[in-house]
Amino acid sequence: MSNRIGVYICHCGTNIAKKVDCAAVARFAGGLRDVVVARDYQFMCSDPGQDLIINDIRNLGLSRVVVASCSPRLHEKTFQKALARAGLNPYLLQHTCIREHCSWVTEDPGEATAKARMLVAAAVDRVDRHGELFSREVDVLPDVMVVGAGIAGIQAALDIAKSGHRVHLVEKGPSIGGHMAQFDKTFPTLDCAACISTPKMVAVAQEPNIHLMTCAEVVEVSGFVGNYQARVRLNPRYVDTEKCTGCGTCLEKCPTKVSSEFEEGLGTRKAIYRNSPQAVPNTPVIDPLHCKKITKNKCGACEKFCPTGAIDYHQVERFVDLEVGSIVLATGYDTLDPTPLTEYGFGRYPEVYTALQFERLNNATGPTQGRIVMKDGRSPESVAVIHCVGSRDKNYHEYCSRTCCMYALKYDHLLKDKVGHHVRVTNFYIDMRCFGKGYEEFYERVQQEGVTFIRGRPAEVTDRAIRPEEEGKLVVVAEDTLSGLPVRVPVDMVILCTAMEARQGASEVARVFGVAQGQDGFFLEEHPKLGPVSTATDGVFLAGTCQGPKDIPDAVAHASGGAAQALALAARGRVAISPTTSWINPEICVGCRVCVGLCAYSAIEFDERRKVAVVNEAMCKGCGSCAGYCPSGAAQIKHFNEPQVFAELEGLLMDLERPGAVRVPVEDGDQGPLPDEHPARESVTN
Amino acid sequence: MDAQATQADAGRRRDAQTAPSVAFEPTIVAFVCNWCTYTAADLAGTSRMIQKPNLRLVRMMCTGMVDPKYVIKALLSGADAVLISGCHPGDCHYINGNYKARRRVKLLKEILPQFGVDTRRVRLTWVGASEGNEFAATVNSLVEEIRELGPIETRGLKAL
């Protein structure tokens, strides 16, 4: 019996209908073989739209459905569910895209309509060959791995742990807290970063459901949603965390001083160090590149003075294997190094600071104990804050870093507050973007504090004085684009609001976890609006700034979202796995074993008794490496098999039947319909 | 049903008759990977990057599943060129499917000239998920190139 196909063309409001004559496409579809009904409707994805399909399936006895609307990446699942509600197997749907690939990108309405027709014809031909497929469910491992323990990773880990699930929290650095641990105050409430983040850090350390690993990196991930295996490398800390009491004697006794990364180069640390007295875990770490004992086998002071014998110079890296159901990536961001922007003189003039350096200068645990002073110990009389350094700049990052306007305002306020009201603070901005809760009010407040705002990106920061008042000062040269006049502002100190950018090792992380990176280097979410925490890889979620620049409230909210997604999987305990795997027809397989070697997942085994290759469906991901190569055509991917693709191609190119062209029959296909009877078409069942 | 079918057939014939009288417009079939290039094509759409209408997409899960038969079938069915596009080397969603595609396309390109098909009619590119602009540029440049090459001659291929 031939199929009864229903075709549904969506207008998507005017998104499709503006270019594609939907009614004409529906009329055309109505004339295609086996199509019993073809309709166009304003919003197919809406409830009435879906009901249209469901009612037709029930009343007209449809056996196949084609929907032509937006990209299947957006709504294929929606319509599959509609089919399921009407009692039809969801895989008897073919969803074709006439919006992103047609109406939105084609100039001429006639051309767009013609293209849409062929796409629909292809879908009709293809759906004819679809077969019923049944997804299988597998158990989800209850544990979750969170990678990165900045504020986002901490939030995600705490959320998950609170539900009773075990979390493996993997942090590359020696202590948790991320960038937030470096900050002093937070905008717009001006509560101190430490006061709000350290309790969370301590909570992580005390939470019995969190297995915290510091100095640790995930080196390998395998498996699939619900069943991931991860290998974590624990880099040597050279201090036994079990024995160490965190007394800090070693920090006093160590004779080697090096520039501190945590202090952004403004202060020094010892070769054995911890980032701050509040560090979690409180155990110091030895920097093997600078420790005299490790590099030259001299000194050994820390070992000598350690009261508990916790120092161990011979620690080596270890590996831990974890089994988790899902993964939350919270690997954070880097700040742009402003050295290449030579016009701003960073590295050349000592009084030019990056934003993070200024955070440290402000911080009570920082190199100056929170006093805002210049390198010579004097307080600055005038400060310039340059916004958008490396952001909104085609040469560096096109995007807006979203946080700089607000932390610049915070600096403005802190300068007035800490150094004194007499300090002249000048902001150089492109646009003020104060869009969060309480942000605009904070902007208003800072303006009333007497801070100057000049609209214009500075051309340079120089020490060449041309007026007497510029002597001994840094001069910020810019154009005030509101008045159209050039300005020269002499200042004591310059703060560069450097861009947030993707972590340097982001591409390596992306490779290990199988996620994609956007053009800006940040990890790509599944959908910019409707799937901001999930990725194209099921069971791998994003949290915080690894997905894009965010301030603390947004990063925390995003992290809770990622945690909720991971928990949804863990709480249900079962997940449906796509049935679109490979299947090797034992009747056709000649046992050449080419596929066995090609399979990247070792999902194909050779059955010695029957002399055929057999797919292990639990391991197969349906990539089709075997199907693309199989010389006999025995290996086929369900839902992407040869008859289906051939049928799709025939429909796609049906307008091109040139005179004399040979139309290759597809196995059971037959083009010549008999006058009174349609040829029986067996649907290809998998 | 029959009346509708004849109507559609008539429409098809009309297309075939009018085609030679206008300037040559190539038809290109693209086999693109779901994870990278299909997403890039979506992005190009969302960003309203105008493309020539000559390209028709076929979604595959991975370029590694593109059997050379599919390419030949597309050329035989009237496509003037075939584009295969997937993730950048090293970025494959399925570990290494795109490398397999690269090998197969290379071999395919070796046999195509024997059947009188210009190898430029089969193009393999890597377009990542975020490269909507790259996708639109690829489409437009390929259409131009094939327009210059002219209609495909598949007599040799039919011998296959």
Side-chain angles (χ1 to χ4, degrees):
Chain A
M1 212 186 93
S2 57
N3 277 314
R4 297 175 63 78
I5 304 174
V7 181
Y8 301 87
I9 317 289
C10 180
H11 293 213
C12 194
T14 56
N15 281 311
I16 295 169
K18 203 169 136 195
K19 282 286 163 70
V20 173
D21 182 347
C22 296
V25 175
R27 274 198 306 279
F28 163 80
L32 294 170
R33 209 151 63 99
D34 292 345
V35 174
V36 266
V37 61
R39 301 183 195 273
D40 57 305
Y41 185 71
Q42 231 176 357
F43 290 104
M44 284 312 306
C45 60
S46 67
D47 274 349
Q50 293 186 45
D51 287 345
L52 210 60
I53 301 176
I54 292 171
N55 290 337
D56 280 356
I57 292 173
R58 287 183 180 145
N59 302 336
L60 302 173
L62 299 183
S63 61
R64 299 283 189 280
V65 173
V66 168
V67 178
S69 60
C70 51
S71 168
R73 290 172 41 84
L74 203 63
H75 272 314
E76 187 177 38
K77 288 218 167 75
T78 313
F79 294 115
Q80 282 187 334
K81 281 182 194 149
L83 259 69
R85 281 207 298 281
L88 211 55
N89 186 286
Y91 288 90
L92 299 178
L93 166 87
Q94 176 65 10
H95 190 192
T96 190
C97 172
I98 57 167
R99 193 179 75 174
E100 282 86 344
H101 304 164
C102 186
S103 73
W104 274 352
V105 294
T106 311
E107 236 166 3
D108 179 64
E111 284 173 342
T113 307
K115 185 174 177 180
R117 260 196 216 128
M118 289 310 116
L119 290 170
V120 170
V124 169
D125 271 14
R126 189 190 208 275
V127 82
D128 206 29
R129 309 302 177 101
H130 280 197
E132 292 192 337
L133 293 175
F134 300 92
S135 29
R136 54 208 165 85
E137 287 211 330
V138 295
D139 287 334
V140 174
L141 293 168
D143 294 1
V144 179
M145 177 165 73
V146 177
V147 185
I151 187 60
I154 288 174
Q155 181 69 35
L158 286 173
D159 281 359
I160 295 163
K162 230 187 312 182
S163 75
H165 285 274
R166 194 164 165 73
V167 183
H168 301 281
L169 180 57
V170 184
E171 166 59 44
K172 194 163 106 180
S175 58
I176 64 173
H179 281 102
M180 193 173 166
Q182 289 178 287
F183 299 163
D184 179 48
K185 296 271 190 296
T186 55
F187 60 76
T189 45
L190 298 170
D191 38 3
C192 92
C195 311
I196 53 177
S197 73
T198 40
K200 285 212 176 253
M201 287 154 64
V202 173
V204 166
Q206 290 174 346
E207 172 60 56
N209 277 330
I210 296 181
H211 171 213
L212 175 64
M213 286 169 275
T214 47
C215 298
E217 284 175 77
V218 181
V219 287
E220 206 185 306
V221 173
S222 58
F224 52 94
V225 56
N227 296 270
Y228 283 110
Q229 289 85 44
R231 170 157 276 222
V232 180
R233 185 178 62 220
L234 297 173
N235 295 319
R237 191 181 195 100
Y238 305 105
V239 182
D240 189 333
T241 35
E242 299 292 316
K243 290 183 188 162
C244 176
T245 58
C247 69
T249 313
C250 50
L251 309 173
E252 285 165 28
K253 300 295 178 187
C254 177
T256 315
K257 273 189 182 177
V258 285
S259 168
S260 164
E261 301 86 6
F262 189 75
E263 301 293 355
E264 296 293 322
L266 290 182
T268 57
R269 61 162 170 83
K270 300 292 183 66
I272 183 166
Y273 69 101
R274 61 181 169 217
N275 285 340
S276 79
Q278 293 92 15
V280 173
N282 211 3
T283 314
V285 55
I286 294 179
D287 168 5
L289 295 175
H290 294 101
C291 171
K292 289 211 174 81
K293 181 72 183 177
I294 292 172
T295 52
K296 297 178 190 145
N297 199 20
K298 287 176 184 162
C299 182
C302 46
E303 189 181 28
K304 222 177 292 170
F305 290 99
C306 179
T308 58
I311 309 288
D312 176 7
Y313 299 117
H314 304 292
Q315 262 187 13
V316 285
E317 60 180 29
R318 290 187 299 127
F319 290 92
V320 177
D321 290 313
L322 303 174
E323 294 205 326
V324 294
S326 57
I327 296 168
V328 178
L329 286 180
T331 51
Y333 69 99
D334 277 340
T335 50
L336 173 120
D337 171 15
T339 318
L341 291 100
T342 48
E343 64 271 31
Y344 294 149
F346 179 76
R348 204 150 29 100
Y349 306 125
E351 290 312 318
V352 178
Y353 296 84
T354 66
L356 268 185
Q357 285 182 328
F358 189 72
E359 290 288 350
R360 292 313 296 162
L361 211 55
N362 246 311
N363 196 300
T365 64
T368 57
Q369 287 79 48
R371 284 179 302 115
I372 301 174
V373 289
M374 300 191 290
K375 298 254 158 69
D376 60 9
R378 286 186 300 128
S379 295
E381 293 295 306
S382 48
V383 179
V385 184
I386 302 180
H387 295 221
C388 301
V389 175
S391 312
R392 306 184 69 193
D393 181 342
K394 285 216 161 131
N395 299 317
Y396 299 93
H397 300 302
E398 262 188 79
Y399 55 81
C400 162
S401 292
R402 288 181 93 248
T403 52
C404 323
C405 284
M406 286 310 296
Y407 70 64
L409 292 175
K410 176 183 79 179
Y411 296 165
D412 297 342
H413 170 83
L414 290 174
L415 281 161
K416 290 277 185 190
D417 186 47
K418 285 191 168 177
V419 188
H421 190 70
H422 63 283
V423 182
R424 287 191 312 282
V425 184
T426 314
N427 283 261
F428 292 89
Y429 69 100
I430 305 178
D431 296 292
M432 288 307 292
R433 297 185 165 175
C434 312
F435 45 79
K437 190 173 180 178
Y439 290 9
E440 184 65 26
E441 294 89 326
F442 188 66
Y443 178 32
E444 191 73 23
R445 171 178 168 186
V446 171
Q447 279 175 302
Q448 280 167 8
E449 283 172 2
V451 173
T452 311
F453 291 87
I454 294 177
R455 188 173 182 274
R457 195 198 283 272
E460 67 168 337
V461 174
T462 176
D463 59 356
R464 279 185 308 262
I466 55 170
R467 293 185 203 127
E469 69 268 23
E470 293 173 0
E471 290 295 338
K473 303 244 179 196
L474 291 171
V475 185
V476 183
V477 185
E479 183 195 339
D480 181 344
T481 57
L482 294 181
S483 66
L485 296 173
V487 289
R488 290 175 66 89
V489 180
V491 292
D492 288 328
M493 182 188 268
V494 174
I495 304 167
L496 305 178
C497 298
T498 42
M500 290 170 89
E501 59 184 17
R503 279 259 190 226
Q504 210 146 37
S507 56
E508 179 60 18
V509 176
R511 195 192 56 76
V512 168
F513 292 94
V515 297
Q517 283 175 282
Q519 223 149 16
D520 45 21
F522 291 106
F523 297 145
L524 202 62
E525 63 286 332
E526 192 186 22
H527 189 276
K529 293 178 193 71
L530 305 175
V533 295
S534 30
T535 65
T537 306
D538 286 340
V540 177
F541 306 105
L542 304 176
T545 52
C546 62
Q547 183 255 354
K550 282 178 194 60
D551 54 16
I552 294 167
D554 285 3
V556 169
H558 197 246
S560 283
Q565 296 281 333
L567 272 181
L569 267 178
R572 172 128 199 275
R574 309 270 295 161
V575 65
I577 301 279
S578 165
T580 59
T581 54
S582 173
W583 181 67
I584 299 176
N585 188 341
E587 307 279 308
I588 302 174
C589 177
V590 295
C592 71
R593 304 189 198 194
V594 162
C595 52
V596 177
L598 277 173
C599 182
Y601 300 99
S602 314
I604 304 178
E605 284 153 17
F606 189 70
D607 183 337
E608 287 292 347
R609 195 180 54 81
R610 290 190 294 162
K611 301 284 178 220
V612 290
V614 180
V615 176
N616 176 348
E617 290 193 2
M619 293 164 85
C620 175
K621 300 216 178 186
C623 70
S625 288
C626 49
Y629 199 90
C630 182
S632 60
Q636 293 290 330
I637 299 296
K638 296 172 193 170
H639 212 54
F640 285 89
N641 63 26
E642 191 177 301
Q644 288 165 349
V645 175
F646 270 33
E648 183 169 1
L649 285 171
E650 296 205 338
L652 200 59
L653 301 168
M654 81 186 287
D655 57 332
L656 295 174
E657 276 188 294
R658 293 185 179 131
V662 181
R663 198 151 168 163
V664 180
V666 187
E667 281 164 30
D668 59 346
D670 186 301
Q671 272 315 113
L674 299 172
D676 52 0
E677 190 187 51
H678 291 295
R681 277 196 176 193
E682 276 177 39
S683 65
V684 179
T685 45
N686 294 290
Chain B
M1 277 297 284
D2 276 350
Q4 282 171 322
T6 15
Q7 203 183 350
D9 276 346
R12 236 182 274 173
R13 271 197 300 278
R14 216 173 23 250
D15 280 353
Q17 280 161 3
T18 48
S21 61
V22 292
F24 169 63
E25 277 297 334
T27 306
I28 299 166
V29 168
F31 295 101
V32 299
C33 118
N34 177 57
W35 308 100
C36 287
T37 309
Y38 199 83
T39 314
D42 280 0
L43 179 64
T46 318
S47 319
R48 312 294 200 276
M49 291 167 176
I50 295 299
Q51 295 153 38
K52 304 253 161 61
N54 312 45
L55 189 101
R56 300 171 190 180
L57 280 186
V58 177
R59 179 162 75 130
M60 305 300 270
M61 292 314 281
C62 177
T63 48
M65 67 161 63
V66 180
D67 192 322
K69 261 184 290 187
Y70 299 167
V71 179
I72 293 168
K73 165 74 182 171
L75 295 175
L76 276 177
S77 305
D80 296 293
V82 171
L83 172 71
I84 300 164
S85 184
C87 313
H88 285 279
D91 286 353
C92 180
H93 187 78
Y94 300 106
I95 303 178
N96 54 20
N98 50 0
Y99 290 123
K100 290 163 186 155
R102 185 163 67 182
R103 272 181 271 166
R104 271 172 217 151
V105 170
K106 188 168 176 357
L107 288 173
L108 181 64
K109 283 191 171 187
E110 264 169 43
I111 64 159
L112 281 178
Q114 298 171 28
F115 298 96
V117 176
D118 195 307
T119 53
R120 280 175 291 179
R121 292 189 189 275
V122 176
R123 189 190 277 188
L124 176 71
T125 57
W126 313 126
V127 177
S130 60
E131 298 172 333
N133 47 357
E134 181 67 31
F135 178 77
T138 305
V139 172
N140 290 337
S141 77
L142 185 64
V143 171
E144 277 317 310
E145 188 179 334
I146 303 305
R147 188 174 284 149
E148 270 169 40
L149 271 178
I152 191 167
E153 175 53 68
T154 50
R155 257 179 307 186
L157 263 185
K158 276 171 205 146
L160 262 177

